Amino acid sequence: MDDTKEINAFEVEMRIDREFKKQKKKSRGRRNRVPKALTGLMGEANLCFARGDHEDAIKMCMEIIRQAPSSYEPFQLLGMIYEEKGDVERSLQFCLIAAHLSPRDVEEWVKLAEMSLEQDNIKQAILCYGKALKYDPTNIGLLWERGNLYKKVEDHKKAMECFQGVLKLLPPNEGEKYLELAREIALTYHTIGDTSQAIETLEQSIANHPDYINSEDVNMLAELHMTEKQYWNALQLICNQCGVEIQCESLSESLENPIIDDITVPAENPIIDDITVPAEISIDLRVKLAICLIHSKQSLGCIKKTVGPLFEESPDEMGDLYLDVAEAYIDTGHYGEAKPILATLANSNKYNLAAVWLRYAECVNSLGEVQLASHCYSKVIELAPSHLEARLALSAIQQQLGHTDEALKVLSQDGVQDEDVSSDDETTPRQDVQLLHHKCKILKIQSRTEEFVENTLLLLAFFFRDVKTASSQDDDSIGKISHKKRRYYLHKSNIIHRRVLLSGNENVVSQDEWWSLYIEVCNALIKLKQYKNLEQLAATAYASTQFTKDPVKLKELDFICLLAHTFSGNHRLAYNFIRPMIMENPDNNQLWNLFTQIISCTHDSRHNRFCLRLMLKHTENQALCILNGHNAFLSGSLKHALGEYMRAFKRDRTDPMLSLCIGLTFIHMASQKYAVKRHSLIAQGFAFLQKYIDTRGEWQESYYNIGRAFHQLGLVHLAINFYKKALASPVILEDDDNFDLRSQAAYNLSLIYQNSGSPQLARELLLQYCVI
């Protein structure tokens, strides 16, 4: 019994659940309507709106919205109220809410789209048309309007989707409208660069409505095929639609008026034996047919037969078609056929243009007629002075003819602006970067160094224009700052001294070519000994950001700046450049040699602490050990110097300079006033000097150094002997007086003679060796 009750209760519960779902489905069909309890209030609001009592109607609608926010009717009424009051924006907002709550009302969405367009809100209008099309997808007018709006906002892809939808919905009896729309779609596709879609659209329109096509449609489709290099397809199209008959080796039948879809394009274009062109065909299509024949590599007989009527017309009237045929000949390598056509055009009144002369020049240049090509390129420059390709080509031809000055003249333009001329003057002629670069290359090949430097500095001033021309600190103050701050101050330094008027893009010259140009001009400045210009250029390149992305070039820039400051005598700034190089490469002897040359000219001792601190990190560095010994020797710390020299000597006992330095250190210690064990010091000193002679050899340099040591100790009788040996010894390098020590030896010997009471001998030595 209990089980029966439970089953009956379960059945009742299931029945109630089914009834509830049915009611829910029914309510779903009437959703977003005003509930019955609020129907009277909604009617009262409508009456208030009809009587013109807008405020009460608004209050009632707001109350309904508060109680039933998903009902669309109060929003709709509010939109109507605000529209009547002239508040279009609020009206549009309420109407949009109503439309979203009742989305199946197509007319409401169209109305909202029109209101959005009145507010210049095109994107919202597109959205409204999209909603309307969702519930009325076959409405051609809505698709057309939406496509035009997409076109207006330049969303061509979606615009084309709408227009293609219109094409599909057009009935078969609307062939004229179909073709008109297809033309517009194809033109838009071509404008946005999608030529294949343009071809497909026109081909489909021709296939669907062949009775409505005209010569303009054929002309457009042929032009599109030719743009895509589909010359055989264009030829077939013209044959099919214009009654052209062709006889081919591989095709037994002519291609007169077959259906375009039935023609199969062969793997290779067949050879046409004969062609018959109707007399009534338009001249444009005739020329396109000829161009297709040219690109299809057909016989010249067929081509000339086709294009012959064109040359009966005046070139002033049909010049563009003349040029099309000539360019087709040039593109396929038939320069001989193109030459007379271009000559006719160039000598006409209307087409005596730079573009025609340029094609004529390229044609005759390809034929090897260099003189005529030179004349044609000159004509191009006369008609278009700023044409770069013409100038470069004419310059190359002049070089080929051996006329270097003429080649440079072609490339020359005024690029440097005087100080009193405003840099914003648009009438001032501007030198092009590419032309100036080509000119610099010619000057370099011709070894015209001074002109090369002048023009290259002008070009590099443009390349390094990111360096600001503001007043900054002098070189001495820059030399005192740290390495990190030096680039900042140089970047603001006044190192570009002329304003440059150059045109063009620097990217036409590759980064490697800019670098090569920079290195070449630096070498040329060193050759001309223009060290100040070299220093300015090196500082400009170092301050610029052009080469900072390449770490290898950045290191080379540092070294070039170092050399430039060294050559120009700016040793303070050179010292700041070489310090980080030494720290990075402490085993590079060339850097140490340059370092000692720089510090010997700075006349300060700031390098002493640098060398001592560096020695703590690199205790086994031979050059650093010797340099610390020299620094200690010059500062009078002879024992410290002797210790450094001995450390170096233990590592390399065959170096004669170390033996000389140790021997001289002992001699100087023995020469001090309060020296202890003076004789021992002298004996040790001459022992190392003897070691120096043994390792160095008996040369003029060795005799002079030993004589100078005896002279310092007052042992003049021994000094005289070694000075005489130095005078009698040959010079190591005959062509370099810097290595000839005879004048120094003679002068020291004359001092000994002078002090010993023999002025006549001293005078004879001075007259023989010390008179310039």
Side-chain angles (χ1 to χ4, degrees):
M1 188 73 179
D2 293 335
D3 293 340
T4 307
K5 288 182 179 179
E6 287 181 5
I7 292 172
N8 294 335
F10 179 74
E11 289 178 354
V12 170
E13 187 177 348
M14 291 294 293
R15 191 178 302 165
I16 293 171
D17 187 55
R18 284 195 294 270
E19 291 295 329
F20 177 76
K21 288 182 178 178
K22 288 180 182 179
Q23 291 178 4
K24 194 173 182 181
K25 288 182 180 179
K26 290 180 181 179
S27 65
R28 219 178 262 171
R30 299 190 304 270
R31 64 182 177 181
N32 299 339
R33 304 281 300 183
V34 176
K36 289 182 179 181
L38 298 174
T39 305
L41 186 59
M42 189 68 229
E44 187 67 26
N46 286 323
L47 289 174
C48 290
F49 171 66
R51 291 195 299 265
D53 190 359
H54 295 158
E55 297 301 324
D56 289 342
I58 291 173
K59 291 179 181 179
M60 294 177 185
C61 288
M62 289 300 180
E63 178 62 24
I64 297 170
I65 291 172
R66 186 183 68 79
Q67 297 186 38
S70 60
S71 301
Y72 72 90
E73 292 177 359
F75 290 104
Q76 199 172 44
L77 182 58
L78 284 172
M80 296 167 62
I81 293 171
Y82 282 111
E83 183 180 7
E84 191 168 307
K85 293 178 69 174
D87 193 346
V88 182
E89 185 175 354
R90 295 190 70 179
S91 172
L92 178 61
Q93 291 175 357
F94 282 113
C95 289
L96 280 172
I97 296 173
H100 280 288
L101 292 173
S102 179
R104 295 182 180 276
D105 193 343
V106 176
E107 293 182 358
E108 186 67 21
W109 283 115
V110 174
K111 178 184 175 183
L112 290 174
E114 293 171 354
M115 292 175 66
S116 299
L117 289 176
E118 291 176 2
Q119 297 290 318
D120 291 330
N121 194 341
I122 298 177
K123 290 185 178 179
Q124 188 167 282
I126 292 173
L127 179 63
C128 293
Y129 279 126
K131 290 287 187 180
L133 284 168
K134 183 178 180 181
Y135 299 102
D136 190 5
T138 60
N139 193 318
I140 295 176
L142 296 180
L143 275 172
W144 180 260
E145 292 297 332
R146 194 182 189 207
N148 285 328
L149 291 179
Y150 274 127
K151 195 173 180 182
K152 189 176 291 187
V153 296
E154 296 184 354
D155 191 346
H156 298 288
K157 183 178 180 181
K158 291 185 178 179
M160 293 302 100
E161 290 177 1
C162 293
F163 291 146
Q164 291 284 9
V166 173
L167 284 181
K168 292 177 182 177
L169 294 172
L170 280 175
N173 58 349
E174 296 285 346
E176 189 172 349
K177 289 184 179 180
Y178 188 101
L179 277 172
E180 184 179 351
L181 180 57
R183 292 186 200 107
E184 186 173 345
I185 293 173
L187 188 60
T188 306
Y189 273 131
H190 182 60
T191 304
I192 63 177
D194 194 351
T195 310
S196 59
Q197 283 293 330
I199 293 172
E200 184 180 343
T201 302
L202 281 178
E203 286 182 342
Q204 188 66 35
S205 64
I206 291 174
N208 292 339
H209 301 280
D211 298 334
Y212 292 94
I213 64 172
N214 54 33
S215 60
E216 292 182 3
D217 300 324
V218 177
N219 200 350
M220 182 186 294
L221 183 54
E223 184 72 33
L224 292 173
H225 278 305
M226 293 166 67
T227 303
E228 292 291 293
K229 311 295 183 185
Q230 300 172 1
Y231 297 104
W232 184 254
N233 290 346
L235 187 148
Q236 288 177 320
L237 172 70
I238 296 172
C239 291
N240 292 341
Q241 302 298 331
C242 301
V244 178
E245 297 182 5
I246 60 175
Q247 298 293 334
C248 304
E249 290 180 357
S250 58
L251 299 176
S252 58
E253 298 180 358
S254 68
L255 296 179
E256 181 184 2
N257 295 328
I259 300 173
I260 191 168
D261 292 339
D262 293 341
I263 300 177
T264 57
V265 180
E268 295 182 1
N269 297 334
I271 303 301
I272 297 176
D273 300 327
D274 190 23
I275 185 168
T276 304
V277 184
E280 63 273 9
I281 192 172
S282 67
I283 192 68
D284 288 345
L285 287 173
R286 181 181 287 272
V287 169
K288 282 183 173 58
L289 179 61
I291 292 172
C292 292
L293 291 172
I294 293 171
H295 282 283
S296 300
K297 300 180 181 179
Q298 302 300 331
S299 64
L300 290 176
C302 291
I303 296 171
K304 291 181 177 180
K305 181 179 178 181
T306 304
V307 80
L310 171 65
F311 301 125
E312 298 174 3
E313 303 289 338
S314 170
D316 289 324
E317 296 178 359
M318 300 292 177
D320 55 339
L321 300 180
Y322 272 68
L323 187 59
D324 289 342
V325 175
E327 288 184 338
Y329 276 128
I330 290 175
D331 292 341
T332 55
H334 295 89
Y335 300 106
E337 302 298 328
K339 178 183 174 182
I341 302 174
L342 291 170
T344 304
L345 274 180
N347 294 316
S348 65
N349 295 324
K350 187 177 178 181
Y351 285 89
N352 184 19
L353 304 174
V356 176
W357 280 103
L358 180 63
R359 296 299 280 170
Y360 190 21
E362 293 170 351
C363 179
V364 295
N365 192 25
S366 300
L367 290 172
E369 301 179 21
V370 184
Q371 293 289 352
L372 182 55
S374 175
H375 169 72
C376 295
Y377 279 121
S378 301
K379 194 69 176 177
V380 175
I381 295 172
E382 179 184 340
L383 296 171
S386 61
H387 201 290
L388 301 183
E389 288 77 9
R391 287 184 177 272
L392 293 172
L394 181 56
S395 174
I397 289 174
Q398 296 290 3
Q399 280 185 274
Q400 185 179 348
L401 295 173
H403 304 156
T404 306
D405 292 335
E406 292 295 327
L408 292 173
K409 186 178 179 180
V410 170
L411 298 172
S412 298
Q413 287 175 313
D414 296 329
V416 181
Q417 183 181 357
D418 297 334
E419 292 294 328
D420 57 346
V421 179
S422 171
S423 61
D424 297 330
D425 186 5
E426 296 296 334
T427 61
T428 307
R430 293 175 179 263
Q431 175 82 339
D432 185 81
V433 173
Q434 192 175 3
L435 292 181
L436 189 56
H437 177 253
H438 196 70
K439 181 180 179 181
C440 292
K441 292 194 323 190
I442 295 176
L443 291 170
K444 176 65 178 176
I445 294 172
Q446 296 296 321
S447 300
R448 298 164 68 164
T449 309
E450 293 184 358
E451 295 179 61
F452 168 74
V453 167
E454 181 182 356
N455 286 275
T456 306
L457 288 179
L458 178 65
L459 188 59
L460 289 175
F462 171 77
F463 183 62
F464 296 132
R465 64 189 180 278
D466 59 320
V467 180
K468 300 174 183 177
T469 58
S471 59
S472 182
Q473 303 178 358
D474 56 10
D475 289 342
D476 289 337
S477 62
I478 292 176
K480 295 176 183 177
I481 64 178
S482 66
H483 178 68
K484 292 181 179 179
K485 293 183 179 179
R486 191 184 318 114
R487 183 181 296 276
Y488 168 75
Y489 283 113
L490 280 176
H491 190 76
K492 296 173 63 178
S493 63
N494 189 18
I495 49 185
I496 296 180
H497 299 290
R498 53 181 171 180
R499 287 174 288 178
V500 181
L501 282 180
L502 290 179
S503 63
N505 188 356
E506 67 185 45
N507 294 326
V508 298
V509 182
S510 67
Q511 197 76 357
D512 290 336
E513 287 179 315
W514 281 114
W515 177 254
S516 176
L517 197 66
Y518 171 66
I519 297 298
E520 288 172 355
V521 76
C522 287
N523 292 330
L525 288 170
I526 294 173
K527 181 179 179 181
L528 296 174
K529 297 184 178 181
Q530 296 181 9
Y531 299 130
K532 284 297 178 185
N533 287 338
L534 175 64
E535 186 179 22
Q536 291 173 0
L537 176 62
T540 305
Y542 185 84
S544 175
T545 58
Q546 294 287 1
F547 297 129
T548 54
K549 294 181 180 179
D550 190 340
V552 177
K553 289 186 175 64
L554 198 56
K555 285 187 177 182
E556 292 191 41
L557 283 175
D558 284 342
F559 190 73
I560 292 171
C561 281
L562 168 63
L563 293 180
H565 293 309
T566 304
F567 282 132
S568 64
N570 193 350
H571 297 100
R572 281 181 169 272
L573 195 53
Y575 175 77
N576 275 7
F577 277 95
I578 199 170
R579 272 189 59 182
M581 296 182 189
I582 289 288
M583 295 173 68
E584 188 176 352
N585 303 286
D587 297 324
N588 192 318
N589 290 332
Q590 287 79 9
L591 283 178
W592 283 113
N593 291 335
L594 193 56
F595 180 77
T596 54
Q597 183 180 353
I598 291 171
I599 62 176
S600 64
C601 300
T602 55
H603 306 296
D604 59 23
S605 58
R606 58 177 175 165
H607 60 279
N608 290 349
R609 286 177 294 176
F610 166 70
C611 292
L612 289 172
R613 286 194 297 266
L614 195 62
M615 192 67 190
L616 297 175
K617 297 180 180 179
H618 307 281
T619 55
E620 300 299 322
N621 189 286
Q622 186 79 343
L624 188 58
C625 186
I626 296 172
L627 187 57
N628 279 324
H630 291 340
N631 291 335
F633 187 90
L634 291 175
S635 62
S637 302
L638 297 178
K639 290 183 179 180
H640 180 207
L642 184 61
E644 296 292 341
Y645 289 145
M646 289 304 297
R647 286 175 57 198
F649 182 75
K650 289 177 182 179
R651 284 194 289 266
D652 186 4
R653 295 177 179 271
T654 60
D655 189 350
M657 190 190 73
L658 289 175
S659 300
L660 175 64
C661 291
I662 294 171
L664 292 179
T665 304
F666 277 117
I667 297 298
H668 276 75
M669 293 173 67
S671 301
Q672 290 179 332
K673 184 176 181 179
Y674 301 105
V676 180
K677 297 181 182 180
R678 191 184 309 273
H679 297 292
S680 174
L681 293 173
I682 293 173
Q684 291 179 75
F686 278 106
F688 277 100
L689 290 177
Q690 184 60 43
K691 175 73 173 175
Y692 160 67
I693 292 179
D694 295 339
T695 53
R696 182 73 179 96
E698 296 181 355
W699 296 97
Q700 185 187 71
E701 169 203 331
S702 307
Y703 291 134
Y704 173 79
N705 287 328
I706 300 298
R708 183 68 186 83
F710 281 122
H711 194 176
Q712 180 177 337
L713 292 172
L715 302 175
V716 294
H717 62 288
L718 297 174
I720 291 173
N721 181 38
F722 281 97
Y723 281 144
K724 287 183 177 180
K725 287 183 178 181
L727 291 173
S729 299
V731 182
I732 297 177
L733 296 177
E734 296 288 346
D735 299 333
D736 195 344
D737 294 337
N738 293 325
F739 294 93
D740 189 358
L741 299 174
R742 287 179 297 180
S743 58
Q744 289 86 343
Y747 179 74
N748 290 346
L749 188 56
S750 69
L751 292 178
I752 295 174
Y753 286 150
Q754 189 85 25
N755 294 331
S756 63
S758 301
Q760 186 61 33
L761 286 175
R763 182 176 177 80
E764 290 177 0
L765 281 173
L766 292 176
L767 290 175
Q768 182 177 357
Y769 294 104
C770 300
V771 175
I772 299 175

